[in-house]
Amino acid sequence: MSRRKAREIVLCLVFEKDYYRDCSCEKLYKDLFEDSGISIGEISGSFGESENNNKTDNINKADENYIKNTFFGIFENIEQIDNIVSCSTIGWEYNRISKISMALLRISVYEILYTEDIPDSVAINEAVELSKRYDDPDAYTFINGVLGAVVKNNK
């Protein structure tokens, strides 16, 4: 599985957590890997396009660790992450950011602040590319600007 597909899974989890605020991260994660029929070892290509649409992508241990560490890490540090996003959205009302944009910003800010193996430029680029696919057509420019400000102000 590619890291982008793993990010898409994290995006789904973070987005879902925003809707089900009272639901624990543990339950959402468990539901993804147990109740939905998705298991470690394989996952259907539904979380993104692959070269062969009939191909099954494997979730290896590294993918599982990335998904779990990122998802749980975001919500363990949610106050700091959201504060950084809020301070980086000059001219925007924080509560008007779409849920998908907010999920992408949370993932990328987490990667920028808390992961050493993902360069800032990769975290930003991945958020921009996922935004182009899942968000409003112009949202990627907003996300790029906010994440640029995050890197400038927090490094």
Side-chain angles (χ1 to χ4, degrees):
M1 161 180 287
S2 70
R3 179 58 64 93
R4 181 168 292 166
K5 286 185 182 181
R7 270 189 193 88
E8 287 180 276
I9 293 170
V10 174
L11 175 61
C12 292
L13 287 166
V14 173
F15 184 83
E16 188 172 13
K17 177 68 175 132
D18 203 26
Y19 275 103
Y20 299 108
R21 292 175 192 245
D22 294 335
C23 190
S24 71
C25 289
E26 291 80 9
K27 174 151 178 32
L28 291 173
Y29 187 80
K30 178 182 174 272
D31 288 351
L32 174 70
F33 286 107
E34 292 180 11
D35 298 342
S36 68
I38 296 172
S39 62
I40 303 303
E42 60 182 50
I43 185 169
S44 70
S46 63
F47 287 105
E49 297 173 8
S50 63
E51 293 175 12
N52 177 357
N53 288 335
N54 296 323
K55 177 182 171 189
T56 299
D57 295 313
N58 290 326
I59 293 183
N60 59 34
K61 195 65 174 169
D63 297 330
E64 178 189 9
N65 287 338
Y66 169 79
I67 293 165
K68 186 174 187 175
N69 292 339
T70 303
F71 177 58
F72 285 97
I74 288 167
F75 288 98
E76 287 169 5
N77 299 286
I78 194 71
E79 289 179 23
Q80 180 185 18
I81 291 169
D82 285 357
N83 185 49
I84 288 169
V85 169
S86 179
C87 292
S88 301
T89 55
I90 307 301
W92 281 81
E93 291 183 36
Y94 177 77
N95 62 350
R96 294 193 63 203
I97 300 172
S98 75
K99 291 193 183 303
I100 195 75
S101 288
M102 195 63 214
L104 288 166
L105 289 168
R106 285 173 171 164
I107 294 166
S108 197
V109 169
Y110 175 81
E111 290 178 342
I112 290 166
L113 296 178
Y114 298 102
T115 61
E116 295 179 15
D117 65 329
I118 301 171
D120 297 346
S121 60
V122 171
I124 293 170
N125 185 60
E126 288 296 313
V128 166
E129 291 305 314
L130 289 171
S131 175
K132 289 178 182 177
R133 182 165 182 192
Y134 293 107
D135 209 346
D136 184 83
D138 296 323
Y140 74 93
T141 58
F142 169 73
I143 287 173
N144 189 51
V146 171
L147 295 175
V150 167
V151 169
K152 180 181 175 186
N153 297 329
N154 292 284
K155 288 291 178 160

